[in-house]
Amino acid sequence: MITLARLALLGALSGSPALADISAFNGIGRHAEPSTAAFRMTTLDLPGSHLGEDTAAYSVEANITPTFPLFRASGGPLPGAYLLTATPQFVVRRSDGVPSNPVRTPSYIPAVTLFYGPGDSLGTTGTTWYASWTLSHYSNGQTGSFFQPGGRALNNVDGSFSLWSAAAAIHLLNDWPFLPEYKALQLKYVYGKEGGLDALYPDYVVSVRMQTADHARARALIDLDWMVRKGGSSPDALKPVPLSGALTGVYAPGGLFPTLALFARFYAGIDNYNMNFDKEIYRLDLGLMLAPL
């Protein structure tokens, strides 16, 4: 979904003496996509999902997004606050029902993000907006051919996938009528696509993310993506579906693990697991989330 820097661990890091005053930026973590783990026993693939054995029959899907603040500063070219982060994100599915229960084509998505906000804080009370710029690489570490023999289907088992992207986003925190407290609009440019990806994978992705304020330790998130479909003679069946969306409910029980939450998510759209991008899926997930509430 939306490619914002993941700051799920920023609150835990804010107490470090080397990161004095980093708490001024903690609000960013509340508005970013956190680490999640969904388990097969709590996942339902709804009718219409174009999933095959290697993608549907998995025992666990984990999206791990540790984020490390590199530096913060005030002033700069524009008066305000700056924060640079690095996120070595990776996503894995452990297959079920196939020999040795392998992890097929794991996703590696390292990113660096620069945040800017007016004043001396970002994403905190009193802030009405901030901006971000992200540079990201997305690959799966595989060396297999891009297509299956015959060239009519993608090689979802060990096909090589690699691309780069640059994104700019504006984040709003205000009380517009009928909209949640937090809204973000992002434009991503995708480039450096390996081999057959260039003819199939979009050059531009427009994303919208919204999030309600906390209410009784619960919140709701909405993610919407428009992948501007590539033209050309390649069959549309091999291209990602243009529209994807997710509705997620989050509840944090608190107690001994204040950053651990439960989530329920309905998702419809592209299977964004690297070489599975030609598949359209409909899923209901229940799982665990690492995110400060």
Side-chain angles (χ1 to χ4, degrees):
M1 303 302 291
I2 189 168
T3 311
L4 302 177
R6 280 70 168 182
L7 294 183
L9 301 184
L10 187 55
L13 293 172
S14 63
S16 169
L19 295 171
D21 300 323
I22 198 71
S23 59
F25 298 91
N26 281 357
I28 297 174
R30 302 166 63 81
H31 308 137
E33 183 180 347
S35 299
T36 59
F39 306 95
R40 182 62 183 167
M41 66 186 69
T42 60
T43 294
L44 177 64
D45 293 311
L46 302 176
S49 294
H50 298 165
L51 286 171
E53 180 183 69
D54 289 330
T55 52
Y58 60 85
S59 56
V60 62
E61 179 181 81
N63 180 358
I64 311 301
T65 59
T67 295
F68 303 96
L70 301 180
F71 75 83
R72 68 175 296 272
S74 299
L78 295 174
Y82 296 83
L83 173 66
L84 182 67
T85 68
T87 306
Q89 179 189 8
F90 66 98
V91 185
V92 295
R93 288 176 179 171
R94 184 178 183 272
S95 299
D96 228 354
V98 292
S100 79
N101 301 97
V103 172
R104 297 284 177 104
T105 66
S107 295
Y108 304 93
I109 319 174
V112 291
T113 300
L114 176 65
F115 292 92
Y116 166 77
D120 58 358
S121 64
L122 287 170
T124 56
T125 301
T127 302
T128 58
W129 70 273
Y130 59 93
S132 63
W133 297 267
T134 300
L135 178 65
S136 179
H137 176 64
Y138 187 1
S139 62
N140 64 0
Q142 304 299 300
T143 58
S145 61
F146 188 78
F147 292 101
Q148 296 181 20
R152 296 184 179 180
L154 301 184
N155 178 5
N156 306 121
V157 176
D158 64 353
S160 178
F161 179 101
S162 178
L163 57 80
W164 288 81
S165 65
I170 184 72
H171 311 258
L172 305 176
L173 297 94
N174 48 35
D175 296 323
W176 285 357
F178 310 110
L179 290 176
E181 176 193 42
Y182 168 79
K183 289 81 60 180
L185 176 65
Q186 177 182 265
L187 175 62
K188 180 196 297 184
Y189 172 60
V190 184
Y191 65 98
K193 290 173 282 188
E194 177 185 274
L197 267 178
D198 191 45
L200 302 174
Y201 208 85
D203 293 332
Y204 296 95
V205 183
V206 180
S207 300
V208 174
R209 182 175 175 84
M210 294 181 283
Q211 181 176 305
T212 63
D214 297 344
H215 178 70
R217 304 193 66 79
R219 66 171 65 174
L221 301 88
I222 300 172
D223 292 279
L224 302 171
D225 291 325
W226 174 34
M227 305 187 78
V228 182
R229 178 163 277 181
K230 293 278 286 189
S233 59
S234 299
D236 287 347
L238 297 181
K239 300 174 183 177
V241 293
L243 299 177
S244 300
L247 175 62
T248 307
V250 183
Y251 174 72
L256 295 177
F257 304 99
T259 62
L260 191 64
L262 306 175
F263 78 90
R265 176 179 58 211
F266 170 72
Y267 175 79
I270 178 180
D271 183 4
N272 197 24
Y273 191 67
N274 54 81
M275 283 300 294
N276 295 286
F277 65 83
D278 61 324
K279 295 180 172 63
E280 182 177 5
I281 63 174
Y282 302 88
R283 277 174 44 183
L284 179 64
D285 290 318
L286 303 176
L288 301 176
M289 175 180 289
L290 181 64
L293 282 178

